[in-house]
């Protein structure tokens, strides 16, 4: 992007609390091992989960990845947790893709948003 | 890092709930404008806040940044929120560094960790 901001990139907006944030922080193993394809598939699939509100994801090259999924309530998280294709992907993650990860499941009590004047 | 995993990079470990996660998702403006120096200074400073548990941060080049700070309780978040140097940095952030950001303040109800066998 050569120092330019990509205007198509935007954080998930603040929803009306309460809702849930699932924070997933990880360090990858070297190489792909089918990660990219599965990652895209999981992104498509989670968007179909009733109560899924959106996802923010970033990875510093060679460093930490932080992904936050937002859900309306614990039932929505449970629907995603119980998804069989998701469970298979999690198992491949532990077998191949991740050196380590941490998951924090948290109930959002308040949230707010800043947008620069004139930003779309 | 040329496809190598940096073993010094590690996510903040799961603490005993309840604790708080403050999720900060952002899109930067182009250029530095003193951001890097202030960012390092804020990292040093937040680590001195009683009840601060750690921080995970990642930014996709040209894309989204996701930072999660962990705090023992709302009083610890309030101490950091009230820090005058932090407040001045937030104002510079709105004036210069961020196109937009969202903040979610959330109470962690459960958390867990995976580490590959043999990982330090």
């Amino acid at each position: 992007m050569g120092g330019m901001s990509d205007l198509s990139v935007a954080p998930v907006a603040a929803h009306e609390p309460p809702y849930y944030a699932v924070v997933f922080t990880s360090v990858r193993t070297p190489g792909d091992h089918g990660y990219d394809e599965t990652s895209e598939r999981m992104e498509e699939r989670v968007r179909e989960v009733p109560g899924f509100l959106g996802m923010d994801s970033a990875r510093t090259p060679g460093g930490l990845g932080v992904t936050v999924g937002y859900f309306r309530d614990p039932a929505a998280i449970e629907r995603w947790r119980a998804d069989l294709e998701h469970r298979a992907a999690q198992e491949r993650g532990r077998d191949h893709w991740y050196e380590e990860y941490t998951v924090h499941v948290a109930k959002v009590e308040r949230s707010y948003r800043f947008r620069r004047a004139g930003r779309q």
Side-chain angles (χ1 to χ4, degrees), chain A:
Chain A
M1 308 283 151
M4 295 289 287
S5 293
D6 180 350
L7 292 175
S8 70
V9 173
V12 173
H15 285 77
E16 184 70 27
Y19 55 97
Y20 276 77
V22 179
V23 177
F24 177 79
T25 57
S26 66
V27 178
R28 289 281 315 278
T29 54
D32 184 72
H33 310 289
Y35 170 82
D36 280 352
E37 187 184 338
T38 304
S39 180
E40 282 175 29
R41 171 74 183 145
M42 289 302 111
E43 265 200 59
E44 289 170 19
R45 205 161 168 82
V46 73
R47 290 184 197 285
E48 292 166 12
V49 172
F52 175 74
L53 300 175
M55 184 167 59
D56 290 313
S57 194
R59 181 172 298 278
T60 301
L64 199 68
V66 183
T67 296
V68 186
Y70 307 94
F71 296 86
R72 178 45 68 197
D73 52 31
I77 297 174
E78 182 53 30
R79 278 192 283 275
W80 177 231
R81 205 186 67 79
D83 180 274
L84 292 178
E85 204 174 327
H86 181 210
R87 293 181 87 97
Q90 287 182 309
E91 195 173 323
R92 287 202 299 283
R94 286 186 292 270
D95 286 349
H96 301 294
W97 300 326
Y98 297 113
E99 291 287 355
E100 61 181 298
Y101 61 73
T102 306
V103 178
H104 313 262
V105 179
K107 184 180 189 174
V108 179
E109 297 183 347
R110 63 180 190 276
S111 55
Y112 48 94
R113 181 191 203 184
F114 164 77
R115 300 182 87 183
R116 183 165 300 284
R119 184 162 165 87
Q120 296 290 311

